Amino acid sequence: MPELPDVEAMRRYFSATALHQPVEAVTVQDDYVLRGTNPGGLGRALAGRRFEATDRHGKNLLVRMDNDRWLRLHFGMTGNLKYFKADGAPEFTRVLFRFENSYRLAYVSQRKLGMVSLTDGPDALVESEDLGPDALRMSWGQFRCIMGNRRGMLKSTLMNQHIVAGLGNVYADEVLFQARMNPRQTVDELSGEELRQLYRAIQRVLETSIGRGADGRDMPRRWLIHRRGEGRTCPRCGAEIERVKINQRSTYYCPECQSRR
DNA sequence: AGGTATGTTAATTG
DNA sequence: GCAATTAACATACC
C-alpha cells in the first residue's frame, strides 16, 4: 500500500480523526519499529500532548504536536492507520495511541518494516534521512536540476528516495508506462523535452491517484496498475506485459509502448 | 522448499 | 560522487 498517494490518504485520515485531543497514553506493542527512541521515550514525548497538524514528505507522514515536536510515521511495505473506539486493537498493531476521549489510533504494520520516530519537523527529517524533494511538490526546475548529472536507469532513479521522495515500485512503473519510457533507459539518454514529459507524468499519475483516494482498483482503466501479473496484456496496444527485475524488484512494462530508442 | 510482496539500508565493486 | 549488485531485515501467502 504505502507509496506517496497511500501515505497522503493516511495523512488525510489522521487529520480527520486524531487531531486536537490530548494523548492519554502510548502503548508500544513491538519496539522493532521505533527508531532513535524507545517505548519510554516515545511515551514521555507524547503523553499529555495534542497532535495539531499533519504534513507529508515522500512516503513519510509527519504530525506536529502542541510543543512543536513532530511524530514521524513510515509504513514500510505494509502499513495502515486505524482510528476506533473499542477495546483491543487490529492485528499487527505495533503502536497504539490512546486519547482522552477514549478513542484510539493504531499504527499497524504487518511486516514490521515500518518506522516510528520523533523529529523536529519535515526539514529536519529531510536532512537526517538525506531525502530528495517530495515528488508532488518539486518544481520542474528542481527536477531538471536534480536529474542533470544522473546516468542511472529511469526505474532505479525514480525509486531512489535520496533523489526524489515518494515513488515506489508500483508508481514508478505506472509513471514510466504513462510516459512511454523504458524502465532500463538511462536518465542521460533523455532529451530535455523527454525529461519534461517524465516530470509531467509523475505529477499527473500522483495527482490522479490521490484524487481517487489512492485505491488501486479505482485507477483509470488504461493504467498499468491493473495489469501487474503474468500473462497480462497492455491496455493500450494489447501486447503482452513483460516482467523483469530491476533493483531486485519486479518491474512490469509494455515492450511495445515502452521500447527503447 | 522456494519464490513473491506497494520498503530501506549497508557492504562491495567498478 | 555515482551506479549496479547482493544481502539483510520480518512476515504472510502461494
Side-chain angles (χ1 to χ4, degrees):
Chain A
M1 224 209 200
E3 296 187 37
L4 189 152
D6 313 284
V7 177
E8 176 61 19
M10 289 186 225
R11 186 192 71 75
R12 293 177 185 188
Y13 180 77
F14 195 115
S15 272
T17 57
L19 295 187
H20 314 307
Q21 314 156 37
V23 175
E24 194 172 79
V26 179
T27 311
V28 176
Q29 304 194 0
D30 195 318
D31 60 8
Y32 185 87
V33 298
L34 299 186
R35 296 298 145 90
T37 185
N38 52 45
L42 189 68
R44 282 191 296 278
L46 298 188
R49 309 252 67 110
R50 300 163 198 258
F51 294 120
E52 293 293 356
T54 59
D55 200 349
R56 183 190 54 69
H57 190 97
K59 302 172 187 173
N60 294 280
L61 169 55
L62 293 124
V63 190
R64 180 169 55 80
M65 295 182 272
D66 57 8
N67 62 350
D68 286 339
R69 283 283 281 165
W70 295 67
L71 174 71
R72 172 265 196 141
L73 303 173
H74 185 289
F75 298 92
M77 298 223 336
T78 59
N80 219 335
L81 293 175
K82 179 75 178 175
Y83 185 75
F84 62 103
K85 184 177 190 176
D87 286 331
E91 195 176 12
F92 308 122
T93 293
R94 307 301 177 188
V95 181
L96 188 60
F97 305 92
R98 196 169 78 237
F99 299 96
E100 284 186 5
N101 64 5
S102 82
Y103 274 83
R104 294 148 199 238
L105 180 73
Y107 168 88
V108 184
S109 183
Q110 180 187 95
R111 271 166 239 161
K112 300 208 292 191
L113 293 178
M115 299 177 262
V116 174
S117 61
L118 295 164
T119 174
D120 288 329
D123 292 344
L125 182 70
V126 168
E127 171 75 23
S128 64
E129 311 264 289
D130 191 26
L131 295 172
D134 182 79
L136 201 46
R137 282 188 288 216
M138 65 182 173
S139 66
W140 155 239
Q142 214 174 354
F143 182 65
R144 184 178 49 188
C145 189
I146 289 168
M147 302 297 265
N149 298 318
R150 301 255 150 213
R151 300 167 269 130
M153 294 186 288
L154 296 180
K155 172 76 185 266
S156 311
T157 305
L158 291 182
M159 276 191 69
N160 186 338
Q161 304 300 298
H162 301 299
I163 301 172
V164 172
L167 294 169
N169 201 36
V170 168
Y171 283 97
D173 281 0
E174 191 65 53
V175 164
L176 292 172
F177 178 72
Q178 300 296 329
R180 293 168 155 78
M181 292 175 189
N182 190 284
R184 284 214 156 93
Q185 188 150 25
T186 57
V187 175
D188 55 299
E189 285 167 354
L190 296 186
S191 67
E193 180 54 34
E194 288 171 323
L195 199 56
R196 172 84 198 200
Q197 286 166 5
L198 179 59
Y199 173 79
R200 280 212 278 255
I202 293 171
Q203 305 306 308
R204 188 163 59 78
V205 165
L206 295 177
E207 282 168 8
T208 300
S209 177
I210 289 170
R212 298 182 179 213
D215 185 333
R217 294 164 302 185
D218 289 344
M219 293 310 132
R221 279 258 175 271
R222 318 213 34 174
W223 277 25
L224 179 68
I225 195 170
H226 309 295
R227 313 294 175 103
R228 302 180 69 80
E230 296 299 334
R232 310 287 178 82
T233 55
C234 173
R236 202 156 45 206
C237 77
E240 187 164 334
I241 296 296
E242 280 192 6
R243 186 179 81 155
V244 296
K245 284 275 185 197
I246 298 179
N247 292 355
Q248 308 295 108
R249 312 300 304 279
S250 286
T251 297
Y252 295 91
Y253 73 104
C254 173
E256 294 296 325
C257 299
Q258 296 169 265
S259 66
R260 300 185 70 162
R261 271 150 298 108

